Amino acid sequence: MLVIDGCYVAAVDAAGSEYPDGYLVLDGDRIAAVGAGPVPPQYAAAERIDGSGLLATPGLVNTHHHLYQWITRGYAADDTLFGWLTTLYPVWAGLDAELVHASAAANLGWLALTGCSTSSDHHYVFPAGRGDLLEAEILAARRIGLRFHPGRGSMNLGKSAGGLPPDSVVEKHDDILAATQAAIDRWHDPSFGAMTRIAVAPCSPFSVTAELMRDSAELARASGVRLHTHLAETIDEEDFCQETYGRTPAQYAEDLGWLGPDVWLAHCVHLSDEAIGRFAATGTGVAHCPTSNGRLGSGIAPVRALLDAGAPVGLGVDGAASNESGRMIDELHQALLAARFRGGPLALTARQSLHLATMGGARCLGRTGEIGSLEPGKLADVALWQVGGLAGAGIADPVVTLVFGAPALARLWVGGQPVVSGGGLVTADPDELAAGQAAASARIARRIQAGT
Ligand SMILES: [Zn+2]
């Protein structure tokens, strides 16, 4: 049992409870108690951490990512989404299991250092004969100690079939479904407190066939796992969809069975009022990725309207190739700025931004009973932020420091296990991760030059 006292607690529960001089009790993998004032006497014997100058929040939930991209940062820095993809697909064709492990471990270590306790991943590049890439990233998540929701992605429309990716990174329809089912059977854990849950995640409705989208949804629902893909990211996609199908991307997704309470979709920048209504009515979640949308100039997602309509909205860093900094805490700040660029000064508050990054993400991942808030009985996924010192001394409201400022992470627990302590990673050596990442980046670049 562990007690943290004297800290500011932002619980992010339904009542929005905050305790300026609060305490938190962790018991094994669960939160045992949260409250104001001194710790109740029954916890007097527990190990104690002095929380003065610290803010306790739920661990942050990252709802969209591509971990393999950590080793391919900096390519096509000033290009459009399509130009960027065309540059990077041949690079990603060089991936193998070892490179994915190095990339994922380094990236998850970095995410942990920025307050993230649960991350999803969307992996859709599976070059033939390069080992088990999904296993490689799941083992990386176990090494770092983060709760992990990998999406078994796919592409089956290669260049020769009119798609963007080279044929070497696309797979056949039946092979994709078989591999996805095998991934669910091997890794998916539906139990309370699970560290690994699989999602079914074709890359986008435009890099796979309609048949694969439909069959993927059917497979996911038969297995009780969630569905994830990219949608409505750019105006180009909107135009393509209207010209090809006479439908908006959201209408097309709904035709394919891809709106529903078990679906969360990345980006959703270009949504009509009708689409926003459909997302809310069906409980379809949105992974809002403001940094990535800015990096690629895709536009600003209608987050205020989605929230007003009642749709679930979480935050995502997106792949590092379109968000080189990849810091989870930064997305709270970016979400706030993006919402205000679009909708004015009242479009999003600091507390609403924190809600998106915690309970909003938990809702997207179907885990509101387990993570996303600091409440007794929930999992002990807790971030402690340094809101004093140069970063925040003198700011009366620690949540303002968290979202508008630049707080440092002091500690992070996932399921009661320490992952970050004293501002440093405790589950792996960051220098070793960085060396692995540098070697992997160099190796994939050499592979491109050699054309292998
Ligand atoms: Zn993405």
Side-chain angles (χ1 to χ4, degrees), residues 40-350:
Q42 70 260 39
Y43 303 115
E47 184 191 341
R48 177 178 169 267
I49 289 173
D50 178 3
S52 1
L54 301 175
L55 165 69
T57 69
L60 306 180
V61 180
N62 178 27
T63 58
H64 186 63
H65 208 359
H66 310 288
L67 291 167
Y68 69 87
Q69 295 180 1
W70 192 247
I71 57 168
T72 61
R73 288 183 292 170
Y75 289 77
D78 305 310
D79 213 335
T80 63
L81 175 63
F82 275 28
W84 175 88
L85 281 172
T86 311
T87 304
L88 277 160
Y89 274 135
V91 179
W92 296 332
L95 285 173
D96 61 30
E98 201 182 312
L99 291 170
V100 166
H101 182 85
S103 190
N107 200 354
L108 287 164
W110 182 247
L111 274 176
L113 287 167
T114 64
C116 176
S117 56
T118 297
S119 186
S120 60
D121 190 50
H122 189 183
H123 191 97
Y124 52 81
V125 183
F126 290 92
R130 295 283 175 77
D132 189 336
L133 274 54
L134 197 71
E135 176 188 73
E137 65 167 352
I138 290 171
L139 295 180
R142 292 187 176 179
R143 184 174 159 200
I144 303 302
L146 293 200
R147 216 174 284 290
F148 194 43
H149 284 234
R152 203 302 176 179
S154 54
M155 296 190 286
N156 74 338
L157 273 177
K159 221 168 203 159
S160 62
L164 268 186
D167 287 352
S168 64
V169 297
V170 303
E171 302 171 281
K172 293 196 172 68
H173 175 277
D174 291 352
D175 295 345
I176 290 166
L177 293 177
T180 305
Q181 187 64 57
I184 295 167
D185 294 344
R186 182 173 174 200
W187 301 108
H188 185 70
D189 177 2
S191 69
F192 188 98
M195 291 300 285
T196 310
R197 287 202 189 148
I198 300 291
V200 177
C203 179
S204 77
F206 316 101
S207 53
V208 308
T209 57
E211 190 192 8
L212 182 60
M213 286 299 288
R214 284 201 184 89
D215 290 348
S216 294
E218 197 176 302
L219 184 155
R221 288 181 175 130
S223 302
V225 306
R226 297 178 85 75
L227 289 154
H228 182 54
T229 192
H230 295 101
L231 198 81
E233 183 172 358
T234 62
I235 281 286
D236 289 351
E237 179 183 330
E238 169 84 23
D239 294 346
F240 170 84
C241 207
Q242 288 286 7
E243 279 160 27
T244 314
Y245 309 107
R247 316 283 279 151
T248 65
Q251 287 169 334
Y252 182 58
E254 185 155 26
D255 292 346
L256 298 170
W258 272 76
L259 295 190
D262 52 357
V263 181
W264 89 102
L265 302 168
H267 303 305
C268 304
V269 172
H270 302 283
L271 293 182
S272 65
D273 291 346
E274 181 208 327
I276 290 167
R278 292 305 299 149
F279 274 53
T282 56
T284 305
V286 170
H288 175 42
C289 305
T291 302
S292 169
N293 297 155
R295 156 72 149 89
L296 294 170
S298 305
I300 302 173
V303 168
R304 182 71 263 156
L306 284 161
L307 293 176
D308 288 345
V313 182
L315 297 183
V317 297
D318 201 1
S322 62
N323 178 359
E324 278 76 1
S325 82
R327 289 167 45 84
M328 189 61 207
I329 183 60
D330 290 353
E331 297 306 317
L332 282 73
H333 193 178
Q334 301 282 31
L336 185 115
L337 299 181
R340 291 181 182 188
F341 279 137
R342 183 180 170 120
L346 304 179
L348 201 72
T349 68

